[in-house]
Amino acid sequence: MARTTRVRRASRAAAVLSAVALLAACTGNTEAEVSGEDDEGQASEEAAPAPGSNDETGETVVIGFSAPAADHGWMGAITQAAIEEAESHEDVELRVAEGTNDVNLQISQVETFINDGVDAIVLLPFDGAALTEIATEAMQAGIPVINVDREFSAPEAARVTVLGDNYGMGRSAGEYICERLADQPDAVVAEVAGIDNLPLTQERSQGFEDALGECGLDVDNRVAADFTVQGGESATSNLLQAAPEIDAMWNHDDDQGVGVLAAIENAGRDEFFVVGGAGSANMMREIQSGDSVVEATVIYPSTQAADGIRLARLVAQGKGMGDLVEIEVPRLVQLYAPVVTADNVDEYLDTAFES
């Protein structure tokens, strides 16, 4: 069942992006879908989007939100940040569907939002391809869909897509390792990936491989886990048994990184350094301690759904982004993937999620 969060607090300042964003122009949707025209091509009576005034309370909009089950820290932080963002706006009524990893259940949640006639839907799909059809149905029903993190397989399924930079994560991790191992051309590099059949994992691995290749290194030992503590420990144990010597390791996900560190400790290995992924508070404290194998982690923002809520509100109210000349909300917002080290960990720790 959906639950409703109504807001009674003053709106926050209207900076839509908290990280450097890569913005793409509006393409793909029909004019009727994005401009409010009816079937005969006649313009609706709604005013054209106007830039600015984003923090001013407008007409209340109902936003449906659905995401996978909060079965690890990053996903829990995603949902909590979305709820908190909605609560900061007096003109947002958020209906949060129960988190689920059941594709069919998530499809039915979106069907409910469509039947209820919500003003917008923010959807982090468990499987982007599997949710594409129902998201397209919502768009065809005149309900803008904000696609978060895991992309649909068709561009017309979303009005806006908010993404972390998975390829950029891999590049950032690889570039850091290249810099650290600049004087070791024969260094052995290991990789503990996430779920291999997910595009996001493939993109992270490709970015990592590309960055390493530019400094003459490659991935010598690679295993895939499943974004869980247990999976991270099991996969890393196997990797350590196969690789008697390692100089650097990149782990894609800090939640599974708890298991990765357990495997490293159990094996009594400390000859290499670890770069994490996602940016959990746990890994940042490891960095901060100065006596851990973890030297760095690459941020994958847990604020993506919160950004989705902000953008859904703007689209539903016919507003643009005040910091842009363009009067329409962009089709794509991609967030930056910075590297956190001992030099800057204090800047990121307070906003990090707990694994």
Side-chain angles (χ1 to χ4, degrees), residues 35-342:
S35 67
E37 291 180 354
D38 60 24
D39 290 341
E40 286 74 37
Q42 300 299 313
S44 71
E45 296 179 357
E46 296 179 3
S53 304
N54 292 342
D55 55 343
E56 296 179 3
T57 301
E59 182 179 351
T60 296
V61 294
V62 179
I63 300 173
F65 175 72
S66 174
D71 51 10
H72 59 291
W74 186 86
M75 192 62 74
I78 274 279
T79 297
Q80 186 58 38
I83 292 171
E84 291 174 359
E85 179 61 32
E87 288 176 345
S88 72
H89 297 283
E90 292 182 352
D91 51 8
V92 172
E93 176 185 325
L94 186 65
R95 299 181 182 178
V96 183
E98 182 178 356
T100 180
N101 294 339
D102 183 331
V103 167
N104 291 325
L105 178 56
Q106 193 170 32
I107 290 171
S108 71
Q109 291 173 346
V110 178
E111 288 174 339
T112 298
F113 291 148
I114 295 172
N115 293 334
D116 289 348
V118 299
D119 297 299
I121 297 171
V122 177
L123 180 58
L124 197 168
F126 180 73
D127 182 320
L131 271 291
T132 296
E133 183 177 350
I134 189 63
T136 302
E137 289 182 22
M139 289 286 290
Q140 291 173 343
I143 301 172
V145 176
I146 314 301
N147 179 202
V148 175
D149 183 49
R150 300 174 185 177
E151 285 186 88
F152 299 136
S153 56
E156 64 271 15
R159 168 59 181 84
V160 183
T161 300
V162 182
L163 299 174
D165 189 356
N166 287 293
Y167 180 83
M169 279 185 72
R171 284 206 63 91
S172 291
E175 288 166 359
Y176 178 84
I177 289 174
C178 279
E179 183 176 350
R180 279 282 282 105
L181 301 178
D183 58 348
Q184 302 179 53
D186 298 322
V188 177
V189 179
E191 178 182 6
V192 182
I195 300 173
D196 253 347
N197 64 354
L198 290 180
L200 65 89
T201 297
Q202 297 161 14
E203 291 167 9
R204 292 179 188 185
S205 288
Q206 189 62 58
F208 189 53
E209 179 183 341
D210 289 350
L212 290 179
E214 291 174 7
C215 70
L217 296 175
D218 55 23
V219 179
D220 299 282
N221 300 91
R222 184 184 186 278
V223 292
D226 58 1
F227 297 129
T228 69
V229 173
Q230 295 80 6
E233 183 171 3
S234 175
T236 305
S237 295
N238 293 336
L239 185 151
L240 294 174
Q241 291 174 14
E245 184 177 344
I246 299 172
D247 294 292
M249 175 186 292
W250 181 42
N251 165 51
H252 283 208
D253 179 76
D254 283 345
D255 281 314
Q256 75 182 19
V258 175
V260 171
L261 291 185
I264 293 170
E265 183 177 356
N266 291 339
R269 302 281 292 270
D270 62 1
E271 81 276 11
F272 57 88
F273 66 89
V274 174
V275 178
S280 76
N282 309 57
M283 293 305 157
M284 290 189 194
R285 286 190 288 268
E286 293 282 339
I287 295 167
Q288 203 173 42
S289 73
D291 59 3
S292 171
V293 293
V294 182
E295 280 193 6
T297 186
V298 183
I299 296 291
Y300 191 72
S302 60
T303 55
Q304 293 177 54
D307 287 330
I309 297 297
R310 284 198 180 191
L311 293 168
R313 172 179 173 267
L314 295 181
V315 171
Q317 291 182 341
K319 295 179 179 177
M321 291 171 60
D323 292 333
L324 298 181
V325 175
E326 169 63 41
I327 66 171
E328 296 277 3
V329 171
R331 282 289 309 278
L332 174 66
V333 176
Q334 188 168 50
L335 307 179
Y336 185 50
V339 177
V340 178
T341 67

